[in-house]
Amino acid sequence: MAKYQYQTEVGQLLKLMTHSLYSNREIFLRELISNASDALDKFNYLHLTDEKFKSEDWKPKITIKVDTKDGSLSIGDNGIGMNEQDLIENLGTIAKSGTKAFIEQLEKSKDSKIDSNLIGQFGVGFYSVFMVSDSVEVISKKAGEDKAYKFKSDGSGEFEVSEVVKESHGTVIYIKLKDDAKEFLNAYHIKDIIKKYSNHIPYEIYVNYTEKTEKDGKEVEENKTELANEAKALWTMNKNEISDDEYKEFYKSNWHDVSDPLTWIHTSAEGSLEYKTLFYIPEVAPADIYRADFEPGVKLYVKRVFITDKEKELLPIYLRFVRGIIDSEDLPLNVSREILQENRILANIKQASVKKILNHIKKLDKEKFDKFIEQYNRLIKEGIFTDHLNKELLLDIVRYKSSAVEGLTSLADYIEREKDKKDRKKEVYYIVGEDENILRHSPLLEAYKLNDIEVLILDDKEVDEIVTPAIGEYKEWKFVDIATCEPPKIKENEEELKGLEKEFESLVKIFKDELGDKVKDVKITTRLSESDSCVVPDSSDPLVSMRAMFRQMGQEAPDIPLILELNGKSELIKALNTTSDVELVKEAAWLLLDSARLAEGLEPVSKIDLSKRVTSLLSKLVK
Ligand code: ADP
């Protein structure tokens, strides 16, 4: 026998499990059954494909034994099993990302009841057994190996592993129930729990128990074994045979979610290709979707035999929040990973599935659609950039903030509002940045407001800056970044501008000389109404269009030299134009440049100089 120390996180987790109060503890059974079912999946595959196992007379099953005398439960399967190494690694550590955060979350809720549903979500399913027990043994033998091992834990910081004898491959988990968990010794209760959570696990689950009955006037104990589930894979059934609750439970038990799915899409295709798919969209985005090592959510089956849940591209990467099953009738069972990636059959299923999913999303009712957008708008944008085949559909779905409406708008609604305005070019205007508030007050917007032109406010800079320029067109409307285009011409302002340029010629010259290479140019403008100055990129500068490219390559985009524009109708600029105090004008040049930069969410040219200038100006005023 060897003793091992749990990984720190596991130790912490176990302490919480054994000492906290839980609502809904029964889900430990769902977690153990789900593990057993996975183990059967894996052996099922070997049994069908590996010469070594083909001849074995094997009938997959899960057996739950209720032992009232002993006060224990055991859950057995004749699946793939675990060897010594597997037991130590799988049950002594948690490999999943986000575990730390999860434990912290649990610790916070210490005083109140902890929702047990949280547990499965983080791939710590097995440990949920410590909600109902503080003495657990796992006896297991791996298929194809000679030795069997026992893992033993009392929920403290250590566990033991020793060699034992076990006839056939598979795993038995023996659970001595805590005093406050004796309700799980009621076989009827156990059967109800199985019906509730595991009815459509594709393997038979038997419950074995003893019951006192009367026979010839005497009380006798009768040993019973009963099938507790339908054992029919849900996705192979007809839609009209399946209730909403069954769909929901199937989702929760297979993908360990706290909440019901937002929606699901169940398809059966017949014809040149024969396959079934069942996809779910989680109500809350899975925690790891923005991590490079995200867990794929779609499982591949061939003729109801589980093949893999490790393939990340059964659907396009941007749909990585989708959970579900693809079950093909046409693929060979021994399809290898390399083949998977370029398989024509799978490629066809993938393509059809994406269309189904996107069309389904598009047609969600408003409440569900809004929830969807709240969780997944960003991934839809990712799709716009990567999935050219479905760009139009994705552009139908994506939502943006806008200068003209509260909340979010679709592109179709934007066009609808704009299309009948006089002289309106077929252009979708947008402004990109990090901060919604700054964007909404950007001086660049003023000319559009004056002309009653709607501008989309894109404040997810990291994504929008790359994706939006790549959109090109939607329904013949061209996407235009207002920071890189000429402002809309304000009525009769051509003449006016010429006049202003003349009037402010000397002021502009002083500004230019003073600011030197800190600006690309200084100009008088009519695009502003409220602000005194603004900065805009020079649209003729090739760097502007290269910025997005730099970002895509993961490089810091170079600083673009900006043009300082002065509002020719502002009282302040007019006053500066007439004053004889040249020093004051020079100071004002720097302050107007910095305040314009700040208004766009940029850094001032020099923070130290800016603060000096402001203080010196103040002291002049006070004198
Ligand atoms: P998860 O199932 O989310 O990976 P668990 O903590 O429930 O997390 O299980 C950890 C691992 O232990 C599983 O991934 C699996 O490899 C192994 N395991 C658990 N139960 C069994 C079982 N009955 N048979 C074979 N392997 C198992």
Coordinates of all heavy atoms in Angstrom, one line a residue, residues 29 33 61-68 72-76 183-196 198-199 203-211 222-231:
L29 N -24.8 11.0 -7.6 CA -25.1 9.8 -8.3 C -25.0 10.0 -9.9 O -24.5 9.2 -10.6 CB -26.5 9.3 -7.9 CG -26.7 7.8 -8.2 CD1 -25.8 6.9 -7.4 CD2 -28.2 7.5 -7.8
I33 N -22.6 8.0 -12.3 CA -23.1 7.3 -13.5 C -22.6 7.8 -14.8 O -22.2 7.1 -15.7 CB -24.7 7.4 -13.5 CG1 -25.2 6.6 -12.3 CG2 -25.3 6.9 -14.8 CD1 -26.7 6.7 -12.1
K61 N -22.9 -2.7 -18.7 CA -23.9 -2.3 -17.8 C -23.3 -1.6 -16.5 O -22.2 -1.8 -16.2 CB -24.8 -3.5 -17.4 CG -24.1 -4.5 -16.5 CD -25.2 -5.5 -16.1 CE -24.6 -6.6 -15.3 NZ -25.6 -7.6 -14.8
I62 N -24.2 -0.9 -15.9 CA -23.9 -0.2 -14.7 C -24.8 -0.8 -13.6 O -26.0 -1.0 -13.8 CB -24.2 1.3 -14.8 CG1 -23.3 1.9 -15.9 CG2 -23.9 2.0 -13.5 CD1 -23.7 3.3 -16.3
T63 N -24.1 -1.2 -12.5 CA -24.9 -1.8 -11.4 C -24.8 -1.0 -10.1 O -23.7 -0.7 -9.7 CB -24.5 -3.2 -11.1 OG1 -24.5 -3.9 -12.3 CG2 -25.4 -3.9 -10.1
I64 N -25.9 -0.6 -9.5 CA -25.9 0.1 -8.3 C -26.4 -0.8 -7.2 O -27.6 -1.3 -7.3 CB -26.7 1.4 -8.4 CG1 -26.0 2.3 -9.5 CG2 -26.7 2.1 -7.0 CD1 -26.7 3.5 -9.8
K65 N -25.6 -1.0 -6.2 CA -26.0 -1.9 -5.1 C -26.3 -1.1 -3.9 O -25.5 -0.3 -3.4 CB -24.9 -2.9 -4.9 CG -25.2 -4.0 -4.0 CD -24.1 -5.1 -4.1 CE -24.5 -6.3 -3.3 NZ -24.3 -6.6 -2.1
V66 N -27.5 -1.3 -3.3 CA -27.9 -0.6 -2.1 C -27.8 -1.6 -1.0 O -28.5 -2.6 -1.0 CB -29.3 -0.1 -2.2 CG1 -29.7 0.7 -1.0 CG2 -29.5 0.7 -3.5
D67 N -26.9 -1.3 0.0 CA -26.7 -2.3 1.1 C -27.2 -1.6 2.4 O -26.4 -0.9 3.0 CB -25.3 -2.7 1.2 CG -25.1 -3.9 2.1 OD1 -25.9 -4.0 3.1 OD2 -24.1 -4.6 1.9
T68 N -28.4 -1.9 2.8 CA -28.9 -1.2 4.0 C -28.2 -1.6 5.3 O -28.0 -0.8 6.2 CB -30.4 -1.4 4.2 OG1 -30.7 -2.7 3.7 CG2 -31.2 -0.4 3.4
S72 N -24.2 1.3 3.0 CA -23.3 1.7 1.9 C -24.0 1.6 0.5 O -25.0 0.9 0.3 CB -22.1 0.9 1.9 OG -22.4 -0.4 1.5
L73 N -23.5 2.3 -0.5 CA -23.9 2.2 -1.9 C -22.6 1.8 -2.7 O -21.5 2.2 -2.3 CB -24.2 3.5 -2.4 CG -25.6 4.1 -2.2 CD1 -25.7 5.4 -3.0 CD2 -26.7 3.2 -2.8
S74 N -22.8 1.0 -3.7 CA -21.7 0.8 -4.6 C -22.2 1.0 -6.1 O -23.3 0.6 -6.4 CB -21.0 -0.5 -4.4 OG -21.8 -1.5 -4.9
I75 N -21.3 1.6 -6.9 CA -21.6 1.8 -8.3 C -20.6 1.1 -9.1 O -19.4 1.4 -9.0 CB -21.6 3.3 -8.6 CG1 -22.8 4.0 -7.9 CG2 -21.8 3.6 -10.1 CD1 -22.5 4.9 -6.8
G76 N -21.0 0.1 -9.9 CA -20.0 -0.7 -10.6 C -20.3 -0.6 -12.1 O -21.4 -0.4 -12.6
E183 N -30.8 8.7 3.5 CA -31.9 8.6 2.5 C -31.5 7.9 1.2 O -32.3 7.4 0.5 CB -32.4 10.0 2.2 CG -31.6 10.8 1.2 CD -30.9 12.1 1.8 OE1 -30.5 12.1 3.0 OE2 -30.9 13.1 1.1
F184 N -30.2 7.8 1.0 CA -29.8 7.2 -0.3 C -29.7 5.6 -0.1 O -29.2 4.9 -1.0 CB -28.4 7.8 -0.7 CG -28.5 9.2 -1.0 CD1 -27.9 10.2 -0.2 CD2 -29.2 9.7 -2.1 CE1 -28.0 11.5 -0.5 CE2 -29.4 11.0 -2.4 CZ -28.8 11.9 -1.6
L185 N -30.2 5.2 1.0 CA -30.3 3.7 1.2 C -31.7 3.2 0.8 O -32.0 2.0 0.8 CB -30.0 3.3 2.7 CG -28.6 3.5 3.1 CD1 -28.4 3.2 4.6 CD2 -27.6 2.6 2.3
N186 N -32.5 4.1 0.4 CA -33.8 3.8 -0.1 C -33.8 3.5 -1.6 O -33.6 4.4 -2.4 CB -34.8 4.9 0.2 CG -36.2 4.6 -0.3 OD1 -36.4 3.8 -1.1 ND2 -37.1 5.4 0.3
A187 N -33.9 2.2 -2.0 CA -33.8 1.8 -3.4 C -34.8 2.6 -4.3 O -34.4 2.9 -5.4 CB -34.0 0.3 -3.5
Y188 N -35.9 2.9 -3.8 CA -36.9 3.6 -4.6 C -36.4 5.0 -4.9 O -36.6 5.5 -6.0 CB -38.3 3.6 -3.9 CG -38.9 2.2 -3.9 CD1 -38.6 1.4 -2.9 CD2 -39.6 1.8 -5.0 CE1 -39.1 0.1 -2.9 CE2 -40.1 0.5 -5.0 CZ -39.9 -0.4 -4.0 OH -40.4 -1.7 -4.0
H189 N -35.9 5.6 -3.9 CA -35.3 6.9 -4.1 C -34.2 6.9 -5.1 O -34.1 7.7 -6.0 CB -34.8 7.4 -2.7 CG -34.3 8.9 -2.8 ND1 -35.0 9.9 -3.4 CD2 -33.2 9.4 -2.2 CE1 -34.3 11.0 -3.3 NE2 -33.2 10.8 -2.5
I190 N -33.3 5.9 -5.0 CA -32.2 5.7 -6.0 C -32.8 5.6 -7.4 O -32.3 6.2 -8.3 CB -31.3 4.5 -5.6 CG1 -30.6 4.8 -4.3 CG2 -30.3 4.2 -6.7 CD1 -29.6 5.8 -4.3
K191 N -33.8 4.8 -7.5 CA -34.4 4.5 -8.9 C -35.0 5.9 -9.4 O -34.8 6.1 -10.6 CB -35.4 3.4 -8.8 CG -34.8 2.0 -8.8 CD -35.8 1.0 -9.1 CE -36.5 0.6 -7.7 NZ -37.5 -0.5 -7.9
D192 N -35.6 6.6 -8.5 CA -36.1 7.9 -9.0 C -35.0 8.8 -9.5 O -35.2 9.5 -10.5 CB -36.9 8.6 -7.8 CG -38.2 8.0 -7.6 OD1 -38.7 7.3 -8.5 OD2 -38.8 8.2 -6.5
I193 N -33.9 8.9 -8.7 CA -32.8 9.7 -9.1 C -32.3 9.3 -10.5 O -32.0 10.2 -11.3 CB -31.7 9.7 -8.0 CG1 -32.2 10.2 -6.7 CG2 -30.5 10.6 -8.5 CD1 -31.2 10.0 -5.6
I194 N -32.2 8.0 -10.7 CA -31.7 7.5 -12.0 C -32.6 7.9 -13.1 O -32.2 8.4 -14.1 CB -31.5 6.0 -11.9 CG1 -30.4 5.6 -10.9 CG2 -31.1 5.5 -13.3 CD1 -30.3 4.2 -10.6
K195 N -33.9 7.8 -12.9 CA -34.9 8.2 -13.9 C -34.7 9.6 -14.2 O -34.8 10.0 -15.4 CB -36.3 7.9 -13.3 CG -36.9 6.6 -13.7 CD -38.1 6.8 -14.6 CE -38.3 5.8 -15.7 NZ -37.8 4.4 -15.4
K196 N -34.6 10.4 -13.1 CA -34.5 11.8 -13.3 C -33.3 12.3 -14.1 O -33.4 13.1 -15.0 CB -34.5 12.5 -11.9 CG -34.6 14.0 -11.9 CD -34.9 14.5 -10.5 CE -34.6 15.9 -10.3 NZ -34.6 16.3 -8.9
S198 N -30.6 10.2 -15.4 CA -29.8 9.3 -16.3 C -30.6 8.3 -17.1 O -30.1 7.3 -17.6 CB -28.8 8.4 -15.4 OG -28.1 9.3 -14.5
N199 N -31.8 8.7 -17.3 CA -32.7 7.9 -18.1 C -32.2 7.5 -19.5 O -32.4 6.4 -20.0 CB -34.1 8.5 -18.1 CG -35.2 7.5 -18.4 OD1 -35.0 6.3 -18.1 ND2 -36.3 7.9 -18.9
Y203 N -26.7 3.1 -21.7 CA -26.4 1.8 -21.1 C -27.4 1.5 -20.0 O -27.9 2.4 -19.4 CB -25.0 1.7 -20.6 CG -23.9 2.0 -21.6 CD1 -23.3 3.3 -21.6 CD2 -23.6 1.1 -22.6 CE1 -22.4 3.6 -22.6 CE2 -22.7 1.4 -23.6 CZ -22.1 2.7 -23.6 OH -21.2 3.0 -24.5
E204 N -27.6 0.2 -19.8 CA -28.6 -0.2 -18.8 C -28.0 0.0 -17.4 O -26.8 -0.3 -17.1 CB -28.9 -1.7 -19.0 CG -29.7 -1.9 -20.3 CD -30.0 -3.4 -20.6 OE1 -29.5 -4.3 -19.9 OE2 -30.9 -3.6 -21.5
I205 N -28.8 0.5 -16.5 CA -28.4 0.8 -15.2 C -29.4 -0.1 -14.3 O -30.6 0.0 -14.3 CB -28.6 2.2 -14.7 CG1 -27.8 3.1 -15.7 CG2 -28.2 2.4 -13.3 CD1 -28.1 4.6 -15.5
Y206 N -28.8 -1.0 -13.5 CA -29.5 -1.9 -12.6 C -29.4 -1.5 -11.2 O -28.3 -1.0 -10.8 CB -29.0 -3.4 -12.8 CG -29.4 -3.9 -14.1 CD1 -28.5 -3.9 -15.2 CD2 -30.6 -4.5 -14.3 CE1 -28.9 -4.4 -16.4 CE2 -31.0 -5.0 -15.6 CZ -30.1 -5.0 -16.6 OH -30.5 -5.5 -17.8
V207 N -30.5 -1.6 -10.4 CA -30.4 -1.4 -9.0 C -30.6 -2.7 -8.3 O -31.6 -3.4 -8.5 CB -31.4 -0.3 -8.6 CG1 -31.4 -0.1 -7.1 CG2 -31.2 1.0 -9.3
N208 N -29.7 -3.0 -7.4 CA -29.7 -4.2 -6.7 C -30.0 -3.9 -5.2 O -29.3 -3.1 -4.6 CB -28.4 -5.0 -6.9 CG -28.3 -6.2 -6.0 OD1 -27.7 -6.1 -4.9 ND2 -28.8 -7.3 -6.4
Y209 N -31.0 -4.5 -4.6 CA -31.3 -4.3 -3.2 C -32.1 -5.4 -2.6 O -32.5 -6.3 -3.3 CB -32.1 -3.0 -3.1 CG -33.5 -3.0 -3.8 CD1 -34.7 -3.2 -3.1 CD2 -33.5 -2.9 -5.2 CE1 -35.9 -3.2 -3.8 CE2 -34.7 -2.9 -5.9 CZ -35.9 -3.1 -5.2 OH -37.1 -3.2 -5.8
T210 N -32.2 -5.4 -1.3 CA -33.0 -6.4 -0.6 C -34.2 -5.8 -0.1 O -34.2 -4.6 0.4 CB -32.2 -7.1 0.5 OG1 -31.7 -6.1 1.4 CG2 -31.1 -8.0 0.0
E211 N -35.3 -6.6 -0.1 CA -36.6 -6.0 0.4 C -37.2 -7.1 1.3 O -37.2 -8.3 0.9 CB -37.5 -5.7 -0.8 CG -38.6 -4.7 -0.4 CD -39.3 -4.2 -1.7 OE1 -39.7 -5.1 -2.5 OE2 -39.4 -3.0 -1.9
E222 N -35.8 -10.5 0.4 CA -35.8 -10.9 -1.0 C -34.7 -10.1 -1.7 O -34.8 -8.8 -1.6 CB -37.1 -10.8 -1.7 CG -37.3 -11.5 -2.9 CD -38.6 -11.2 -3.6 OE1 -39.5 -10.7 -2.9 OE2 -38.8 -11.5 -4.8
N223 N -33.8 -10.7 -2.5 CA -32.8 -9.9 -3.2 C -33.4 -9.6 -4.6 O -33.8 -10.4 -5.3 CB -31.5 -10.7 -3.3 CG -30.4 -9.8 -3.8 OD1 -30.5 -9.3 -4.9 ND2 -29.4 -9.6 -3.0
K224 N -33.4 -8.3 -4.9 CA -34.0 -7.9 -6.2 C -32.9 -7.1 -7.1 O -32.1 -6.3 -6.6 CB -35.1 -7.0 -6.0 CG -36.3 -7.6 -5.4 CD -37.5 -6.6 -5.4 CE -38.8 -7.3 -5.0 NZ -39.9 -6.4 -4.9
T225 N -33.0 -7.3 -8.4 CA -32.2 -6.5 -9.3 C -33.2 -6.0 -10.4 O -33.8 -6.8 -11.0 CB -31.1 -7.3 -9.9 OG1 -30.3 -7.8 -8.9 CG2 -30.3 -6.5 -10.9
E226 N -33.2 -4.7 -10.5 CA -34.2 -4.1 -11.5 C -33.5 -3.1 -12.4 O -32.7 -2.3 -12.0 CB -35.3 -3.4 -10.7 CG -36.3 -4.3 -10.1 CD -37.2 -3.6 -9.1 OE1 -37.1 -2.4 -8.9 OE2 -38.1 -4.4 -8.5
L227 N -34.0 -3.1 -13.6 CA -33.5 -2.1 -14.6 C -34.2 -0.8 -14.2 O -35.4 -0.7 -14.0 CB -34.0 -2.6 -16.0 CG -33.5 -1.6 -17.1 CD1 -32.0 -1.6 -17.2 CD2 -34.1 -2.1 -18.5
A228 N -33.4 0.3 -14.2 CA -33.9 1.5 -13.7 C -34.0 2.6 -14.7 O -34.6 3.7 -14.5 CB -33.0 2.0 -12.5
N229 N -33.5 2.4 -15.9 CA -33.6 3.4 -16.9 C -34.0 2.9 -18.3 O -34.0 1.6 -18.5 CB -32.2 4.2 -17.1 CG -31.1 3.3 -17.7 OD1 -31.2 2.1 -17.6 ND2 -30.2 3.9 -18.3
E230 N -34.2 3.8 -19.2 CA -34.6 3.3 -20.6 C -33.5 2.8 -21.4 O -33.6 2.1 -22.4 CB -35.4 4.4 -21.3 CG -36.7 4.6 -20.7 CD -37.7 5.4 -21.6 OE1 -37.6 5.1 -22.9 OE2 -38.4 6.2 -21.2
A231 N -32.3 3.3 -21.1 CA -31.1 2.9 -21.8 C -31.1 3.2 -23.3 O -30.5 2.4 -24.0 CB -30.7 1.5 -21.5

